[in-house]
Amino acid sequence: MRKNKAIMIGAGLANMAAAVYLIQEGHWSGDQITFYSLDDHGSNDGAPTKSVTDEYWNKNHPLENQKGYVARGGRMLNYRTYVDLMDLLDRIPSATETNMTAAEDTRDFDAKHRTFDKARLLEGGKGIINGSHLGLNNQDRLHLTKLIAMPDSEEEKLDNVTIADYFSDDPHFFGTNFWFMWETTFAFRVQSSAQELRRYMHQMIYEFTQIEHLVGVNRTRYNQYESIMLPLVNYLRDQGCHIILNRLVTDWTFKNTPMQDEITVTGLTVKNTVTGVDEQVTVDDDTAVIFTNGSITDSATLGDFDTPALENMDYGAAASLWKKASEHFYNLGNPDKFFADRNASEWVSFTLTTKDHLLLNEITRITTQVPGNALNSFISTSPITALGHKDVNMSIVVHHQPHFTTQKPNETVIWGYFLYPRRRGEFIDKPYIKMTGKEMIQELIGQLSKVDPGPGNIRDKTDQIMASVINNIPVYMPYASALFNNRAKTDRPKVIPQHATNLAFTGEFVEQPYQMIFTEQSAVRSGEIAAYHFAGIPMSHLVKTPRYDKDLKTLAKAAKKMFD
């Protein structure tokens, strides 16, 4: 149903994309669009610690005492599949490079700093593992082939089936190099949805032939905020959009209809999180409401060098509002599938800032590659899973430096994460989730020392490395992998739900045909669909999604690779 104004609940990538398409394709004026949001970045953050506004952290850590940088997560790109994202970035100017669009900026940087990871897997006592040998046996190959060959029309057979369920008669799969690389590249867990794994296998099938080097990974010039979100913020403000921050939408008013099936928003309750005052916002017949109904960084908490990140038990701001809507109507999904199972969704990450390049140089020596080329995973030498297999302990991303525009020439920023935060460290005898920033660095040095034999081991430089640390910020994210949680297709609402007259859902918790979530691609696509719907633009005008799972050459290469 065509509208002429929009209220955006959330100012993350999906809703900002919707605003750009409304302006450029729908020919709306920017002042017809109003955002209500806690922040202007969603899950695409990255900033000096002094600019962080996390209430759980700042309550006990005065900002003037904080140094270094923090990013709760990181984003990798892939031009071949992220076609909607690149279309979006080509529509807005770069925030850091003159006379370039944000897409041209990214392509220019990436062409000069191509990814080729020579140390994708590292194992204690063995060093760099040859990841080109996927380690699959015939049973593994059979299961993967069935998954890839499953047509879209039969995808519902995987409703409420976990990856562990799907491979229940094939525990060998979870000890293969392929699983270690797939797990850490895309952040799947054994409890994750097999349905989502199938979508990744379809859309990223060509990664079979290059996953050990990550040559399909593209990266932005700087962190995700400065290279992706800031260009959007600048453009939308220049267009006259109203981006109202420190606002939390806490409740809905819906039109009361006899059958209770028409979904029409007539009002919103909006809390000013600075003053605590509620405001009632009327939604008239000419206004669309575009809602990002979940966030993987909701309820995240930060620690510091001497303090672990505390657990925040909140359900999640966006998910709480989604839950209220789903209680009104039968076809808006089931947020509990994603936000009531932390065992399947939680992570701990850290952002390490040093005042010199000693640690960076040590990682370069151990991995035999320069910064910016690698996503490195460290594998335990002993069984640590319920299946009795070794598994990944921790992963780090060594970005091209500088990763922030305000970084000093001598400073290094490294990001890492623990996919299973309640496992215990090998060098710090406590769960990762309980570690301080200092202890996480000590665990990292210990993990690196396992693959650094002979004289000059990195552990010999521990004191110098620790002395170089400006800060290390642990981040607990209870919902980081929630979008992969086991579910059925009906557990996520469609972008435009049936019977909705003025409400659309966007982001990583909506159901879109074929799209794989946890990508900048799916977020942008959802915003694009919402914008086209309310601007009256035919869906045939959407950016065309490539189908590599239909390409015979790609499938043949993948089949050959499975036997390496």
Side-chain angles (χ1 to χ4, degrees), residues 77-98:
L77 311 184
N78 186 294
Y79 297 153
R80 294 179 65 174
T81 52
Y82 291 22
V83 290
D84 294 78
L85 172 70
M86 298 312 293
D87 177 78
L88 173 68
L89 296 183
D90 225 2
R91 295 168 177 266
I92 57 176
S94 166
T96 61
E97 309 306 305
T98 57

Side-chain angles (χ1 to χ4, degrees), residues 255-545:
K255 180 180 179 180
N256 192 12
T257 59
M259 296 297 293
Q260 287 298 303
D261 57 356
E262 178 188 321
I263 305 173
T264 299
V265 182
T266 60
L268 300 168
T269 302
V270 182
K271 178 181 290 293
N272 182 322
T273 59
V274 175
T275 65
V277 175
D278 284 344
E279 174 189 359
Q280 300 303 316
V281 176
T282 299
V283 179
D284 61 32
D285 291 341
D286 202 27
T287 299
V289 177
I290 301 178
F291 169 42
T292 299
N293 61 306
S295 171
I296 60 175
T297 51
D298 266 358
S299 305
T301 53
L302 288 76
D304 63 17
F305 188 76
D306 297 308
T307 313
L310 301 177
E311 290 188 57
N312 173 11
M313 301 310 295
D314 288 352
Y315 188 79
S320 295
L321 187 61
W322 174 18
K323 191 174 178 71
K324 289 182 177 180
S326 70
E327 290 169 348
H328 277 84
F329 303 99
Y330 66 87
N331 64 334
L332 299 186
N334 181 4
D336 281 352
K337 282 289 190 75
F338 308 96
F339 293 89
D341 185 5
R342 291 187 174 207
N343 180 55
S345 64
E346 62 185 2
W347 288 12
V348 170
S349 73
F350 61 88
T351 311
L352 169 60
T353 309
T354 63
K355 64 184 178 183
D356 61 34
H357 300 315
L358 174 59
L359 177 58
L360 184 68
N361 291 337
E362 286 295 292
I363 294 172
T364 297
R365 177 180 63 81
I366 293 167
T367 62
T368 69
Q369 57 193 1
V370 297
N373 289 347
L375 175 67
N376 300 314
S377 301
F378 305 103
I379 298 178
S380 170
T381 55
S382 59
I384 58 174
T385 73
L387 299 171
H389 288 300
K390 64 188 179 185
D391 200 359
V392 173
N393 284 337
M394 65 189 303
S395 298
I396 62 170
V397 179
V398 184
H399 301 285
H400 181 272
Q401 306 294 314
H403 192 47
F404 293 85
T405 55
T406 56
Q407 231 176 291
K408 296 177 182 177
N410 58 312
E411 291 179 341
T412 295
V413 175
I414 296 171
W415 182 83
Y417 77 101
F418 303 96
L419 189 57
Y420 294 92
R422 296 189 188 271
R423 291 178 180 170
R424 299 187 77 86
E426 289 189 74
F427 298 87
I428 300 296
D429 187 22
K430 61 172 63 173
Y432 302 127
I433 193 174
K434 301 294 185 182
M435 290 185 188
T436 66
K438 177 182 179 180
E439 290 167 336
M440 288 181 177
I441 302 169
Q442 293 169 332
E443 181 71 19
L444 170 61
I445 294 170
Q447 293 288 341
L448 286 168
S449 73
K450 290 166 43 178
V451 294
D452 186 21
N457 186 284
I458 187 173
R459 296 199 78 174
D460 297 338
K461 302 180 179 67
T462 297
D463 290 345
Q464 297 132 284
I465 292 171
M466 296 305 294
S468 75
V469 174
I470 294 174
N471 209 345
N472 190 37
I473 306 296
V475 182
Y476 172 64
M477 294 177 284
Y479 308 120
S481 285
L483 32 60
F484 282 149
N485 278 18
N486 190 31
R487 41 81 182 166
K489 290 182 75 169
T490 56
D491 288 328
R492 299 189 299 203
K494 294 180 179 179
V495 177
I496 310 297
Q498 188 178 15
H499 308 306
T501 65
N502 68 343
L503 176 62
F505 291 79
T506 62
E508 304 291 10
F509 295 91
V510 297
E511 182 62 33
Q512 302 182 71
Y514 186 63
Q515 296 295 322
M516 56 183 189
I517 44 78
F518 211 175
T519 64
E520 310 291 72
Q521 163 66 17
S522 62
V524 172
R525 182 78 171 190
S526 66
E528 186 183 359
I529 291 171
Y532 280 27
H533 176 77
F534 290 123
I537 302 169
M539 293 299 160
S540 60
H541 292 204
L542 291 168
V543 176
K544 303 304 178 187
T545 299

Side-chain angles (χ1 to χ4, degrees), residues 100-111:
M100 285 188 182
T101 67
E104 289 169 340
D105 173 13
T106 295
R107 291 184 186 276
D108 174 73
F109 172 80
D110 190 69

Side-chain angles (χ1 to χ4, degrees), residues 40 65 70 78 95 103-104 118-119 165 194 212 215 219 228 315 354 483 546:
D40 62 359
N65 296 333
V70 64
N78 186 294
E104 289 169 340
K118 295 192 292 183
D165 292 336
E212 70 269 23
V215 295
R219 300 194 187 279
I228 295 177
Y315 188 79
T354 63
L483 32 60

